[in-house]
């Protein structure tokens, strides 16, 4: 069971509406009656109860400042339904006290009932709201009948005795017919007003709940985005560290060995020392090239304003020139894919070529990129030494390619066997 917490009025507009309705009731109570003879006793009695009526109206207004709303965390000694029901019952009780002491039920009672219904709508679910509105409607009908029949619970008429006036000038049958029409019209009008209030407050509460859910969803999305950003940063750092260790670290280690050999043969064998020095220089150039390639992958936008086919063609030219691998390409793109798709495809091709040049020992590579009505298809196959995908489960490059494709709702397929090359195929929805 949820507990309660006393909160300020959640809707300033509805609070102002409540104050306006209470103001209407106050003006109706304080307005002087018509100088009829039968109202003189009422005027005298009203002068006695007027301070009490104003005090009760003031209590109704003060009740609107704080409402017992449900809260899952705030402790409360009472159950939520009981305490909220008591709060609503007090509102109805104050409304009845006002018309019993002040009369003028036709004018004073409807605004007070609407105030209680509005507060009930803020506290209850739809079933509680409907029950509150039904109780208000029954109270209004009871007041209406008592008013038309001239019933005086405390000696003060709730309204003008319509039935007596009708009986003076018409037959009993005509009087009853007119009374039924009056009661029906008044009941219908007040019922429509209650339905409007229920729908209005329900719409406001739904809009507020949707806004709160949107704020909560945005907060969670920001948290997820920050988490993903941190994870992506960590993965990128890991990739760079691995890249440096595998390529630059290896080249620098080998270069250090060659330089030690140079120092060893420098005095006794200049020819051998010169050979080792040339090897050290070659390894230094390879390390520098690997560093440049690693830095190039960190560019903000890898395409640099080029179309995808142009960027891939430039990448193929660079790989062929630097590695001597023969690459056969077939690219059929009839439209320009989005930046996200183009970047993902370019990164997959780049990573695939990097892996091929480093690990496969391939001489030929075939690339096919084509566009269908629903997908963009990419195939990259080489004639290298291949590997067992079940054993190579820690490769960061393959994992990164798969994550890029799946993040766009695509599919990633890898086929390879030792001695039979490797084939990568991706499908990305347009």
């Amino acid at each position: 069971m949820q507990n309660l917490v006393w909160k300020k009025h959640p809707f300033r507009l509805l609070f102002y509406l409540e104050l306006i309705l209470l103001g209407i009731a106050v003006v109706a109570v304080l307005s002087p009656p018509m100088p009829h003879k039968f109202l003189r006793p009422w005027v005298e009695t009203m002068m006695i109860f007027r301070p009490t009526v104003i005090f009760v109206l003031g209590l109704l207004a003060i009740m609107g400042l704080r409402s017992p709303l449900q809260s899952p965390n705030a402790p409360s000694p009472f159950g939520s339904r009981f305490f909220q029901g008591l709060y609503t019952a007090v509102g109805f009780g104050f409304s009845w006290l006002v018309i019993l002491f002040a009369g003028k039920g036709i004018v004073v009672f409807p605004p007070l009932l609407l105030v209680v219904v509005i507060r009930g709508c803020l506290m209850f679910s739809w079933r509680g709201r409907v029950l509150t509105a039904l109780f208000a409607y029954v109270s209004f009908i009871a007041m209406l009948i008592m008013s038309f029949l001239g019933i005086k619970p405390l000696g003060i008429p709730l309204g003008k005795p319509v039935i007596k006036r009708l009986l003076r000038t018409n037959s009993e049958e005509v009087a009853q017919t007119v009374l039924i029409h009056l009661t029906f019209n008044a009941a219908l009008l007040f019922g429509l007003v209650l339905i409007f209030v229920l729908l209005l407050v329900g719409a406001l509460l739904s809009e507020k709940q949707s806004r709160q859910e949107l704020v909560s969803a945005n907060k969670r999305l920001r948290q997820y985005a920050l988490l993903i950003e941190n994870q992506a940063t960590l993965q990128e750092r890991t990739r760079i560290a691995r890249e440096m260790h595998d390529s630059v670290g290896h080249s620098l280690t080998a270069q250090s060995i060659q330089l030690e050999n140079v120092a060893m043969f420098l005095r006794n064998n200049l020819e051998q020392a010169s050979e080792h020095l040339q090897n050290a220089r070659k390894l230094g150039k390879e390390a520098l090239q690997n560093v440049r390639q690693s830095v190039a992958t960190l560019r903000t936008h890898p395409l640099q304003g080029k179309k995808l086919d142009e960027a891939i063609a430039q990448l193929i030219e660079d790989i062929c020139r630097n590695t001597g691998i023969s690459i056969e390409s077939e690219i059929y793109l009839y439209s320009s894919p989005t930046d996200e798709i183009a970047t993902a495809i370019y990164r997959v091709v780049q990573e695939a070529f990097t892996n091929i040049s480093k690990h496969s020992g391939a001489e030929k590579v075939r690339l096919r990129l084509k566009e269908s009505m629903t997908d963009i298809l990419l195939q990259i196959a080489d004639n290298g030494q291949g590997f067992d995908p079940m054993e190579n489960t820690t490769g960061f490059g393959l994992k990164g390619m798969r994550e890029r494709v799946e993040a766009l709702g695509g599919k990633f397929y890898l086929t390879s066997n030792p001695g039979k090359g490797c084939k990568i195929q991706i499908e990305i929805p347009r």
Side-chain angles (χ1 to χ4, degrees), residues 85-138:
L86 180 62
Y87 180 87
T88 305
V90 170
F92 279 116
F94 283 167
S95 301
W96 273 105
L97 283 177
V98 170
I99 64 169
L100 290 178
F101 289 157
K104 299 183 179 181
I106 299 294
V107 182
V108 177
F109 206 35
L112 300 182
L113 291 178
L114 290 177
V115 170
V116 178
V117 170
I118 290 174
R119 294 174 182 175
C121 290
L122 297 177
M123 292 186 295
F124 300 122
S125 60
W126 270 108
R127 179 162 51 172
R129 298 172 196 172
V130 173
L131 289 176
T132 303
L134 286 177
F135 191 82
Y137 189 71
V138 171

Side-chain angles (χ1 to χ4, degrees), residues 56 140 191 234 334 391 427:
V56 173
F140 177 78
L234 180 61
Y334 306 105
E391 295 181 358
E427 300 175 5

Side-chain angles (χ1 to χ4, degrees), residues 375 402 404-413 426-429:
D375 303 298
R402 183 182 298 275
R404 287 183 185 276
V405 174
E406 292 179 351
L408 296 173
K411 298 178 182 179
F412 180 89
Y413 304 99
I426 69 172
E427 300 175 5
I428 300 179

Side-chain angles (χ1 to χ4, degrees), residues 29 46 49-58 97-99 101-102:
V29 168
M46 179 57 194
F49 290 118
R50 178 175 292 182
T52 304
V53 172
I54 299 301
F55 177 73
V56 173
L57 289 174
L97 283 177
V98 170
I99 64 169
F101 289 157

